[in-house]
Amino acid sequence: MSRSASSRANRRGEPPPSPEPLPAPALDSHTHLDIVLGERPAGDEHGEWASDDDVDAEIAAAAAVNVTRLVQVGVDVPSSRWSAALAARHPNVLAAVALHPNEAGAGSADGQALDTALAEIDRLAALPRVRAVGETGLDRYRTGPEGWAAQEASFRAHIRIAKEHGVALVIHDREAHDEILAVLDDEGAPEHTVFHCFSGDAAFAKACVARGFVLSFAGTLTFGNAGYLREAAAMTPVEQLLVETDAPFLTPMPHRGRPNSSRLVPHTVRALADVTGVDLAELCTTLTATAERVFGSWKDSAPLVR
């Protein structure tokens, strides 16, 4: 989710209470702690960030319900720098860095600003606890046709950066299923490619699974009108599944409409267990193993060996 929606999310009130802890450790494969705790104007290097104490408390609240691993995701250069810095100091956190597609789609006409930003993402992607490039991709909902060429150029650049550094690719896909697959097929996808907040139906899931991609499901899986997502999750091999919050967005039922946070992941994990028929503790263990296959060990501060 782009930072442009953060003010709306932060006006929705206090987060709901924590659910019952999971029976085994699990994770949040995609969160925006900076937006959860302290909105900062987009592109403002000197704006207010959440304090370390607030961030640590949020991470501790997730750990209290057995969500012990988080991937903090950047959406522009400042938030990507912040994400990398948080991962460097916190053992429960790894980072992903990127320009959100809508950020790229709003780039300068001559492309120079986009090129400068991409160079910084390339630099950050080499850091030891930055384990993914993302969220990148295509968004045909918020960005109009005038920005699509810049989005695609940025997406292709992010794919190349991920492959160069041997890290995962985390994809934002909004109303662009076929176009994203076409770009991935053309460029060649990295070894580990994750569709963040998977939004396709069973047919699209089948196409992604056949390519070896990992599908990450958010709180939308629990929505009453999301039967197509549950069908997609049900046909996906459990080893190709992840869960996420996209916090502070996409809060799962029964708290839809209130701010999301990593400690609410258990609602989505339990829904995924119901959909797949996998024992809850076994699913937690499998999700964790998949996350460590994709992102590497949270205990390891060294670059991944591919």
Side-chain angles (χ1 to χ4, degrees):
M1 183 68 67
S2 68
R3 188 176 301 280
S4 62
S6 63
S7 60
R8 293 193 297 276
N10 289 342
R11 286 198 296 264
R12 293 181 300 179
E14 291 299 315
S18 297
E20 180 183 351
L22 291 166
L27 75 146
D28 182 354
S29 73
H30 192 113
T31 187
H32 303 282
L33 283 165
D34 52 323
I35 305 177
V36 169
L37 293 169
E39 182 189 357
R40 178 189 55 78
D44 180 1
E45 296 279 4
H46 307 292
E48 292 297 321
W49 292 95
S51 73
D52 286 353
D53 288 346
D54 287 343
V55 173
D56 290 347
E58 188 73 15
I59 295 169
V65 296
N66 235 349
V67 178
T68 59
R69 294 166 175 81
L70 282 63
V71 179
Q72 162 63 27
V73 180
V75 296
D76 55 18
V77 167
S79 64
S80 292
R81 288 173 177 160
W82 187 87
S83 299
L86 175 62
R89 77 168 181 84
H90 208 294
N92 291 55
V93 179
L94 295 176
V97 299
L99 309 179
H100 189 281
N102 293 328
E103 297 285 340
S108 65
D110 61 10
Q112 290 182 359
L114 181 60
D115 289 346
T116 300
L118 287 168
E120 179 64 0
I121 297 302
D122 186 24
R123 184 190 72 81
L124 292 169
L127 297 176
R129 288 183 66 82
V130 173
R131 303 292 181 77
V133 169
E135 59 188 278
T136 181
L138 302 174
D139 189 314
R140 298 311 196 223
Y141 178 77
R142 291 196 181 278
T143 296
E146 70 281 356
W148 290 358
Q151 274 195 357
E152 182 171 329
S154 175
F155 183 28
R156 288 178 180 273
H158 281 81
I159 293 170
R160 294 164 190 160
I161 291 169
K163 290 196 291 187
E164 177 184 352
H165 294 287
V167 298
L169 182 74
V170 175
I171 291 177
H172 172 103
D173 166 20
R174 191 161 188 186
E175 298 185 5
H177 301 333
D178 293 340
E179 295 96 325
I180 281 179
L181 288 185
V183 172
L184 288 170
D185 289 346
D186 185 48
E187 289 285 339
E191 179 182 359
H192 298 298
T193 297
V194 179
F195 271 74
H196 137 67
C197 187
F198 185 79
S199 60
D201 59 12
F204 185 59
K206 182 177 181 180
C208 293
V209 165
R211 290 166 168 82
F213 302 155
V214 173
L215 312 186
S216 182
F217 287 87
T220 45
L221 183 75
T222 71
F223 295 176
N225 61 353
Y228 68 100
L229 288 180
R230 291 185 281 276
E231 291 177 4
M235 61 79 55
T236 301
V238 68
E239 296 82 7
Q240 287 176 254
L241 291 171
L242 282 174
V243 290
E244 65 174 85
T245 57
D246 196 25
F249 313 100
L250 307 180
T251 309
M253 297 294 290
H255 304 297
R256 184 178 181 182
R258 297 176 68 182
N260 204 359
S261 63
S262 294
R263 61 189 172 81
L264 299 182
V265 161
H267 291 296
T268 304
V269 176
R270 288 186 167 93
L272 193 59
D274 289 342
V275 166
T276 61
V278 177
D279 172 78
L280 181 59
E282 179 183 346
L283 179 61
C284 291
T285 300
T286 303
L287 291 169
T288 298
T290 299
E292 294 209 333
R293 185 181 78 244
V294 171
F295 301 113
S297 172
W298 268 251
K299 296 179 180 178
D300 184 8
S301 61
L304 294 177
V305 177
R306 297 293 183 182

